[in-house]
């Protein structure tokens, strides 16, 4: 395979996300002009010092501001109590300047994650994690949809067009990616399989797939010979592994990229694949939430 053929197989999530962010920014400008300065506002709460979470939150805030929205960041200490975190969420629910609320996961052990997420006003739940939103999605109704699966779906539709009738295998059953991804692909009339750590003969299950979504968090677990020739592979994994150079690390996905690209019809790289789509979708969800809360039509 020559380098052009290889390039054509790579799904450019970074480029797609840049386009989406600039479309959102344009809409924000138009909204401000037509509605007396109405500015979508996103509040992010981070509890503790998890280094990966700190980086995500910094990026989220930067891109929120770049899109012309208002960003509110709340850093709470590692030993924050359930009651104090709940109080902050309820405060933000009542704040008219805040249209989207995101509580960065994971949360420290003393916090009951479900109780916190389900305390967020579903209309402000831009992560789509509230039971109301996951229930709306599961039953085919208008919902706030989780950002990572939404980004994956956009990339798939952009590449493949109509997904109807395709065999989709999702690896991973998390509430953040696997389960909402299944609901979205089912709504697109795919035949959906959710596989996970207990699945028997996982390579054989994956070999059936026209669409593979890998979201397990295990570095390069999915091998090239698991991929059906021509399949579209979406790699959600972000795994830090030792680099060749002593003491350095590099980021790889859940898919062995160099092997899989030889077989796949299309594949997202890591980095620059799904990752940038997540924040772009978060901004889009915040804009949507703002419009809906102000009685404006939003899709
Ligand atoms: N931690 C990892 N991914 C996510 C996400 O999409 N939303 C939140 N809130 N926390 C996360």
């Amino acid at each position: 395979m020559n380098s052009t053929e290889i390039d054509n197989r790579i799904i450019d999530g970074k480029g797609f996300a840049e386009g989406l962010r600039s479309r959102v920014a344009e809409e924000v400008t138009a909204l401000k002009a037509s509605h007396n300065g109405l500015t979508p506002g996103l509040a992010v709460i981070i509890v503790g010092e998890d280094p990966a979470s700190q980086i995500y939150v910094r990026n989220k805030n930067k891109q929120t501001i770049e899109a012309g929205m208002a960003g509110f960041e709340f850093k709470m200490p590692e030993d924050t109590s359930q009651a104090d975190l709940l109080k902050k969420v309820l405060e933000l629910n009542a704040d008219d300047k805040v249209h989207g609320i995101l509580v960065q996961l994971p949360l420290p052990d003393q916090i009951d994650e479900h109780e916190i997420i389900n305390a967020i006003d579903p209309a402000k739940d831009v992560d789509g994690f509230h039971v109301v939103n996951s229930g709306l999605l599961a039953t085919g109704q208008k919902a706030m949809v989780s950002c990572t699966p939404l980004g994956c779906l956009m990339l798939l539709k952009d590449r493949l067009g109509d997904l109807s009738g395709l065999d989709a295998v999702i690896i991973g059953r998390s509430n953040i990616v696997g389960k909402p991804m299944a609901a979205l692909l089912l709504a697109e009339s795919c035949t959906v399989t959710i596989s996970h750590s207990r699945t028997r003969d996982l390579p054989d299950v994956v070999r059936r797939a026209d669409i593979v979504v890998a979201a397990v968090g295990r570095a390069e677990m999915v091998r090239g010979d698991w991929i059906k020739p021509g399949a579209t592979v979406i790699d959600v994994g972000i795994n830090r592994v030792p680099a060749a150079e002593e003491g350095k690390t590099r980021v790889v996905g859940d898919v062995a990229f160099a092997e899989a690209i030889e077989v796949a019809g299309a594949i997202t790289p890591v980095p620059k694949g799904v990752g940038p789509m997540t924040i772009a979708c978060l901004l889009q969800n915040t804009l949507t939430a703002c419009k809906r809360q102000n009685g404006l039509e939003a899709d």
Side-chain angles (χ1 to χ4, degrees):
M1 228 179 6
N2 64 38
S3 66
T4 311
E5 281 168 332
I6 291 270
D7 279 353
N8 288 342
R9 291 183 181 190
I10 297 177
I11 299 175
D12 178 15
K14 183 168 179 269
F16 195 100
E18 276 162 11
L20 179 56
R21 289 206 310 271
S22 67
R23 289 195 293 280
V24 169
E26 277 168 28
E27 275 203 61
V28 170
T29 305
L31 183 68
K32 286 178 182 170
S34 61
H35 289 81
N36 203 21
L38 176 61
T39 305
L42 172 66
V44 175
I45 305 176
I46 177 164
V47 183
E49 304 290 332
D50 177 54
S53 292
Q54 304 269 347
I55 295 169
Y56 290 142
V57 168
R58 214 177 310 134
N59 282 337
K60 279 172 194 165
N61 214 33
K62 181 168 164 275
Q63 294 184 19
T64 304
I65 306 299
E66 280 170 9
M69 301 187 186
F72 309 96
E73 196 181 314
F74 300 93
K75 287 192 168 175
M76 301 181 79
E78 182 77 32
D79 62 355
T80 297
S81 69
Q82 181 82 10
D84 283 349
L85 183 53
L86 203 50
K87 188 160 156 261
K88 176 53 76 184
V89 168
L90 299 180
E91 220 174 272
L92 295 172
N93 280 348
D95 187 339
D96 288 343
K97 296 188 297 303
V98 172
H99 306 97
I101 301 171
L102 181 147
V103 179
Q104 183 66 30
L105 304 178
L107 289 164
D109 290 347
Q110 76 275 15
I111 304 287
D112 176 345
E113 194 172 289
H114 291 303
E115 192 193 11
I116 297 298
I117 288 169
N118 291 327
I120 298 172
D121 178 345
K124 296 191 177 187
D125 170 37
V126 282
D127 256 331
F129 294 163
H130 192 291
V131 283
V132 165
N133 281 315
S134 49
L136 288 169
L137 177 64
T139 51
Q141 300 178 71
K142 197 151 111 179
M144 274 290 158
V145 178
S146 310
C147 306
T148 299
L150 183 58
C152 294
L153 183 68
M154 285 179 186
L155 294 178
L156 282 168
K157 288 173 85 167
D158 183 61
R159 194 71 177 203
L160 297 173
D162 184 12
L163 307 182
S164 170
L166 296 180
D167 266 315
V169 171
I170 298 159
I171 315 172
R173 54 177 153 178
S174 71
N175 291 334
I176 295 183
V177 184
K179 288 179 203 162
M181 190 77 246
L184 285 173
L185 290 172
L186 197 53
E188 296 295 328
S189 302
C190 290
T191 303
V192 180
T193 303
I194 308 181
S195 61
H196 46 77
S197 55
R198 301 286 178 89
T199 297
R200 271 187 254 149
D201 300 324
L202 183 60
D204 274 348
V205 172
V206 175
R207 273 182 206 114
R208 293 205 300 260
D210 303 305
I211 294 170
V212 180
V213 179
V216 264
R218 288 186 54 190
E220 298 179 327
M221 187 186 87
V222 179
R223 311 311 308 188
D225 66 358
W226 298 18
I227 307 296
K228 174 159 107 178
T232 304
V233 179
I234 304 290
D235 190 350
V236 182
I238 300 176
N239 309 289
R240 213 161 255 292
V241 297
E245 202 181 329
E246 180 84 40
K248 298 244 165 134
T249 60
R250 65 193 174 98
V251 170
V252 298
D254 292 346
V255 179
F257 182 83
E259 293 174 14
I261 198 166
E262 297 287 335
V263 192
I267 180 167
T268 59
V270 177
K272 300 185 182 173
V274 172
M277 290 299 292
T278 299
I279 299 183
C281 289
L282 176 67
L283 300 178
Q284 188 182 53
N285 277 353
T286 304
L287 174 63
T288 300
C290 175
K291 285 185 181 171
R292 286 188 188 153
Q293 283 160 49
N294 285 277
L296 305 169
E297 203 35 59
D299 40 53

